[in-house]
Amino acid sequence: MLRDPAVKYRPFPQVDLADRQWPGRTITQPPRWLSTDMRDGNQALIDPMNAEKKNRFFDLLVEVGLKEIEVGFPSAGATEFDFISGLVRSDRIPDDVTVQVLTQSRRDLIEKSFESLRGARTAIVHLYNAVSPAWRRIVFDMSREEVREVAVAGAKLLRDGAAAQPDTDWQFEYSPETFSTAELDFSIEVCEAVMDILRPTPEAPLILNLPATVEAATPNIYADQIEYFCRHIRNRDSVVVSLHTHNDRGTGVAASELGLLAGADRVEGCLFGNGERTGNVDLVTLALNMYTQGVDPGLDFSDIDRVIGTVTYCNNLPVHPRHPYAGGLVFTAFSGSHQDAIKKGFAAQEARNDEIWDVPYLPIDPKDLGRDYEAVIRVNSQSGKGGVAWVLQQDQGLKLPKRLQAHFSRHVQALADQSSRELNAADIWDAFRATYRLEDGQPIELVAWDERRAPNGDRIFTGTIEVDGTQNSISGRGNGLISSVLGALHDAEGVELEVQSYAEHAIGQGSNARAAAYVEATGPDGRTHWGVGIDEDVATASVRAVLSAANATRV
């Protein structure tokens, strides 16, 4: 890299728009959406989609709710032409969906485009030519006038092609390609020259698509360009201003959002941001950003994993684990502090009386996208007590007291450090059972028990326990069940424990519910011993918790 990049690269010029209005606006409704997955997305694939994948992708786009779909470039080859004409002939295009095809400004290509759509109920033909200085100078060696004439000639061919097929409701789109790096006055001049030929009206508007073909500036500059264009284009009510951003600088979504604030009506992009180089704007992220602001985007991603499955199959490209909203890890927290905040957020959410979503670190409810909460918190060496407790609550229904969370998390931390990997729910449950002696084969095991009240109100515990393989009868007296069990263990086995805290809760509901009990006790040496009991009967769970704590003194 250069120490002084200014000798090689120039800063992008600002737009002279002192009274810009877009910074004070808010997105309150969705734009018209167009998917260009089957054109821009397909041309960027190592292995372009075959007919089977194209049909599968088209069906997905319809199901998601796309009403405008760019289905290809008919003159690119037989595969493209046959697919597009096949959609029309087989009547696979729903009545509320309009297909779009892309063409350069050449007679043979335009005629091929119209031929591919013969018999369509309605369709959009999208004409483009590049207008920026670099393309005029380097690629085409053309003057401004020559570039404008290319656009005008193409517009005349669109007009004539539509007239030759009057049974189709034709719509037109024109893109001054490389708009974001072109002079604004020239882009407007070319667009108005096209308008002079096609004569749009408010009832039959022309789509003017303004591409950031290569993202070369910050998103605010693109927004200024869009607002300037919207203010200065003639007959604004007769055009639909469309955005087509790319992600070369990593801000394609932001550029589209600010472009909508600046007055645009429509957005073109791809699912999960596929496209040349760093990709087209991601329609999923853009739509769900609106959704999290309370705006219905009009697109349905309520089963996002199925959408991912189809897109990855058709594109043969993965969705990154950190991809917004869709990645496998975007709703997952490993950090202890994050886990604690999320756990508390879910508890607060459950306790509230309204539906407003307000959970730390989760800008959207995963369930709105068809995800569950099981993978929201995952455990590794960076995790804390809240994360471990969350996994046990979600997987086993256990609601550990806070001090028990801290006690067990140290055991999990040691296991994670030792294994040097993520711990799954089974790992954590196995560790919990071992730590709190829930498995068979413990030094002291419960065989049977009963209790009764003495005339003075004391509780009398009688039971049979197995100690190191030998069954013994024990009994004890206390002011409650827990103290009477402790009394019996003291008299029979010399166990000395003083209870510091006790908690219990139901696991599940109805006739299949079980109970969990937790005992925190200290021995004569001041050490804390935790016991856990789980049983269909809450009293038996309490007895088992005391025996679990007693077994801890034998370790």
Side-chain angles (χ1 to χ4, degrees):
M1 294 177 64
L2 301 174
R3 289 188 175 274
D4 181 13
V7 302
K8 188 174 184 179
Y9 302 101
R10 290 169 294 179
F12 200 90
Q14 299 289 316
V15 178
D16 185 12
L17 194 67
D19 61 339
R20 58 183 59 82
Q21 299 299 306
W22 63 261
R25 295 173 181 163
T26 302
I27 295 174
T28 58
Q29 61 184 19
R32 286 171 54 176
W33 302 104
L34 175 124
S35 162
T36 186
D37 286 274
M38 306 182 75
R39 168 50 198 169
D40 278 22
N42 189 51
Q43 74 168 356
L45 299 177
I46 298 171
D47 298 309
M49 288 182 271
N50 58 23
E52 183 269 331
K53 289 184 176 181
K54 281 176 173 287
N55 279 288
R56 185 165 173 176
F57 211 125
F58 181 81
D59 291 341
L60 173 71
L61 294 172
V62 170
E63 184 178 335
V64 164
L66 271 301
K67 302 304 181 185
E68 297 178 26
I69 302 172
E70 192 163 67
V71 289
F73 195 107
S75 57
T79 300
E80 291 278 276
F81 184 92
D82 292 345
F83 169 71
I84 296 165
S85 60
L87 286 176
V88 176
R89 290 196 310 271
S90 61
D91 199 26
R92 293 193 58 237
I93 305 169
D95 289 344
D96 61 346
V97 172
T98 301
V99 294
Q100 174 173 304
V101 297
L102 182 67
T103 180
Q104 293 169 316
S105 185
R106 282 172 39 190
R107 176 178 295 275
D108 58 331
L109 306 186
I110 292 174
E111 290 177 351
K112 191 84 168 178
S113 298
F114 276 99
E115 185 60 31
S116 73
L117 294 168
R118 184 173 295 278
R121 178 187 54 82
T122 183
I124 302 170
V125 182
H126 178 189
L127 173 74
Y128 75 97
N129 67 302
V131 299
S132 68
W135 266 255
R136 296 197 309 260
R137 185 181 69 254
I138 299 169
V139 181
F140 302 122
D141 189 24
M142 285 184 175
S143 66
R144 278 191 175 203
E145 291 73 20
E146 290 171 315
V147 167
R148 183 180 63 247
E149 184 53 37
V150 169
V152 168
K156 291 177 179 177
L157 292 169
L158 293 190
R159 179 195 62 194
D160 297 343
Q165 295 187 44
D167 292 337
T168 296
D169 178 14
W170 294 105
Q171 301 175 53
F172 301 120
E173 175 174 340
Y174 173 68
S175 290
E177 186 74 356
T178 65
F179 163 84
S180 63
T181 52
E183 308 92 335
L184 279 167
D185 65 324
F186 183 55
S187 293
I188 292 172
E189 177 186 332
V190 175
C191 287
E192 290 184 344
V194 170
M195 292 170 66
D196 288 340
I197 304 301
L198 297 177
R199 299 185 178 279
T201 65
E203 295 73 30
L206 169 65
I207 300 168
L208 292 177
N209 188 51
L210 307 179
T213 306
V214 178
E215 189 177 45
T218 50
N220 60 296
I221 290 179
Y222 184 68
D224 282 349
Q225 293 171 327
I226 299 302
E227 183 168 334
Y228 185 98
F229 185 94
C230 289
R231 287 195 198 182
H232 291 86
I233 190 71
R234 190 176 67 232
N235 299 333
R236 175 64 178 89
D237 62 349
S238 295
V239 300
V240 173
V241 174
S242 180
L243 307 176
H244 185 111
T245 60
H246 282 256
N247 206 41
D248 298 272
R249 291 170 53 92
T251 56
V253 168
S256 288
E257 289 177 328
L258 299 191
L260 290 172
L261 295 177
D265 311 296
R266 182 177 184 263
V267 173
E268 299 187 350
C270 295
L271 301 187
F272 309 116
N274 185 34
E276 291 280 17
R277 303 180 312 281
T278 54
N280 291 55
V281 69
D282 174 16
L283 296 184
V284 178
T285 299
L286 194 55
L288 292 178
N289 280 357
M290 293 180 191
Y291 182 83
T292 62
Q293 301 301 302
V295 176
D296 180 3
L299 300 179
D300 182 7
F301 297 111
S302 57
D303 189 356
I304 200 165
D305 287 330
R306 195 167 66 79
V307 176
I308 292 169
T310 298
V311 172
T312 54
Y313 167 74
C314 293
N315 288 343
N316 198 25
L317 289 174
V319 170
H320 195 279
R322 300 294 182 191
H323 193 102
Y325 301 109
L329 294 177
V330 296
F331 301 125
T332 299
F334 291 101
S335 161
S337 60
H338 291 204
Q339 292 173 341
D340 184 61
I342 291 171
K343 180 174 178 289
K344 290 176 179 176
F346 273 114
Q349 190 78 16
E350 187 175 343
R352 287 168 51 191
N353 293 322
D354 61 62
E355 296 182 5
I356 298 299
W357 180 254
D358 189 19
V359 176
Y361 295 109
L362 295 178
I364 191 172
D365 185 349
K367 285 192 174 179
D368 288 354
L369 305 180
R371 298 265 175 93
D372 57 35
Y373 297 145
E374 290 183 5
V376 168
I377 290 177
R378 290 163 60 176
V379 175
N380 63 14
S381 60
Q382 302 298 307
S383 303
K385 63 182 186 297
V388 174
W390 168 267
V391 172
L392 283 174
Q393 181 175 341
Q394 295 299 304
D395 190 58
Q396 299 294 331
L398 300 181
K399 302 175 182 178
L400 306 189
K402 285 189 175 181
R403 287 198 295 274
L404 178 55
Q405 292 179 25
H407 184 267
F408 181 52
S409 70
R410 292 193 289 270
H411 293 269
V412 174
Q413 181 76 42
L415 178 60
D417 287 337
Q418 180 183 3
S419 63
S420 298
R421 63 173 177 84
E422 178 190 353
L423 302 181
N424 59 34
D427 295 326
I428 294 170
W429 177 234
D430 288 345
F432 188 82
R433 287 169 53 83
T435 302
Y436 301 106
R437 299 153 297 280
L438 301 179
E439 301 166 324
D440 294 335
Q442 300 301 323
I444 303 174
E445 292 196 339
L446 180 67
V447 177
W449 73 279
D450 196 6
E451 72 160 340
R452 59 184 175 85
R453 286 188 179 274
N456 66 353
D458 283 353
R459 307 278 284 274
I460 299 175
F461 171 86
T462 58
T464 301
I465 59 173
E466 188 173 289
V467 180
D468 297 328
T470 302
Q471 290 192 3
N472 299 322
S473 296
I474 61 173
S475 65
R477 180 187 292 256
N479 59 6
L481 176 60
I482 301 296
S483 60
S484 65
V485 175
L486 286 173
L489 289 172
H490 177 269
D491 295 343
E493 301 297 330
V495 175
E496 294 189 44
L497 288 174
E498 182 175 346
V499 173
Q500 302 298 319
S501 68
Y502 171 82
E504 65 183 42
H505 66 80
I507 303 174
Q509 297 178 339
S511 59
N512 294 323
R514 296 180 300 156
Y518 311 98
V519 170
E520 180 186 18
T522 54
D525 57 0
R527 292 177 59 195
T528 297
H529 303 284
W530 278 95
V532 177
I534 300 174
D535 198 89
E536 286 76 12
D537 173 66
V538 64
T540 302
S542 301
V543 174
R544 292 188 183 281
V546 174
L547 293 181
S548 171
N551 279 319
T553 66
R554 304 259 177 135
V555 177

